[in-house]
Amino acid sequence: MNFQKLLSNRVPIILQKCGFKHYPPPPNFDNVEFPEKPKLKFIDKFPQLPPSVKAPKMQKKLRLMRGPEEVHNFLLHKQYGIMALGGGRLKWGHFEMMRLTLHRKLDSSKMFAVWRVDSPWQPMTKQGQGQRMGGGKGPIDHYVTPVKTGRIILEVGGRAEFKEIEKFLTDIANKLPFKAMAVSQEILDEMKRKEKWEEENNQNPYTLKYLIQNNMGGCNRWLSPTDTKYFSKYV
């Protein structure tokens, strides 16, 4: 039966086309350098002082949490990590939560994790329950680590893609006492590119920076020094 006869008889013709699959090559991790210890080290609950030194007390120093992080705001290994989106304090329990979660989820044969924050060092005092007001500054209750916006909390790297570790990094970020997110080097680059593009292509001249610098509506009377310095970008 020829082709013309098939068309005349209206017999359905099934034409199969064999196509080649073009998959992208897997990423190359030959340039990844592993540290000596792939797992997060244990963090002390309080700083180790000499026996003859009494632990000093300290003020709250809220400026340690305000504003942007200007030093530890990039990834050393250029792979993945957790970045703070707001200021706050990390307690010893948060360090243990991050360490134990990564020990359960991380495959140390092909991945590693490193701390990017100091161990708890700032003393926080607290008066005993049921005491009257006054009586001076209370005893040291615990130690914390202050964190600013944009600080990298920890880094994760190795022979793994971001999709493999994004889930448990996001889980850790949601349990922190401040807003945080799981990031990769590509995400950080995209955030910087987007921020620069928005600043260059903004068509509204009345930005918050312009309003504060020109005291529009007398806003400097009720704005705090932090708002005047950072133009209400970091709260």
Side-chain angles (χ1 to χ4, degrees), residues 75-94:
L75 296 172
L76 288 174
H77 298 274
K78 306 296 181 183
Q79 287 193 285
Y80 325 113
I82 297 177
M83 184 181 68
L85 299 179
R89 293 190 178 108
L90 288 174
K91 296 182 179 179
W92 179 78
H94 300 126

Side-chain angles (χ1 to χ4, degrees), residues 52 74 100 183 196 212 217 228:
S52 59
F74 61 94
L100 295 177
V183 295
K196 183 179 179 181
I212 294 176
T228 307

Side-chain angles (χ1 to χ4, degrees), residues 21-39:
K21 302 294 183 182
H22 296 281
Y23 295 105
N28 187 9
F29 299 108
D30 294 339
N31 57 347
V32 177
E33 296 182 3
F34 280 73
E36 296 181 1
K37 296 182 179 180
K39 295 184 178 181

Side-chain angles (χ1 to χ4, degrees), residues 8 10 15 97 102 137 161 187 198 203-204 216 219:
S8 61
R10 295 183 179 180
L15 300 177
M97 178 270 298
L102 284 179
K137 199 170 181 64
E161 297 185 38
I187 293 177
E198 290 178 351
Q203 299 180 0
N204 183 13
M216 302 292 288
C219 60

Side-chain angles (χ1 to χ4, degrees), residues 13-138:
I13 305 175
I14 300 176
L15 300 177
Q16 295 183 353
K17 184 177 181 181
C18 181
F20 291 98
K21 302 294 183 182
H22 296 281
Y23 295 105
N28 187 9
F29 299 108
D30 294 339
N31 57 347
V32 177
E33 296 182 3
F34 280 73
E36 296 181 1
K37 296 182 179 180
K39 295 184 178 181
L40 295 176
K41 67 176 184 178
F42 179 79
I43 296 296
D44 294 329
K45 202 169 186 178
F46 48 86
Q48 299 295 331
L49 299 175
S52 59
V53 176
K54 184 179 179 181
K57 299 177 184 178
M58 190 181 295
Q59 298 175 342
K60 291 183 178 180
K61 293 188 177 181
L62 299 180
R63 64 181 179 271
L64 298 176
M65 301 182 295
R66 290 174 175 169
E69 175 62 40
E70 298 178 353
V71 180
H72 303 282
N73 54 7
F74 61 94
L75 296 172
L76 288 174
H77 298 274
K78 306 296 181 183
Q79 287 193 285
Y80 325 113
I82 297 177
M83 184 181 68
L85 299 179
R89 293 190 178 108
L90 288 174
K91 296 182 179 179
W92 179 78
H94 300 126
F95 283 93
E96 278 296 283
M97 178 270 298
M98 291 186 281
R99 187 179 69 89
L100 295 177
T101 303
L102 284 179
H103 280 199
R104 289 193 299 266
K105 304 290 186 179
L106 206 67
D107 185 4
S108 59
S109 63
K110 64 176 183 177
M111 290 182 282
F112 64 89
V114 292
W115 292 115
R116 289 295 304 276
V117 289
D118 302 325
S119 58
W121 60 270
Q122 185 182 10
M124 302 298 295
T125 59
K126 183 181 179 182
Q127 288 281 11
Q129 191 172 4
Q131 291 188 5
R132 295 183 179 181
M133 295 183 65
K137 199 170 181 64

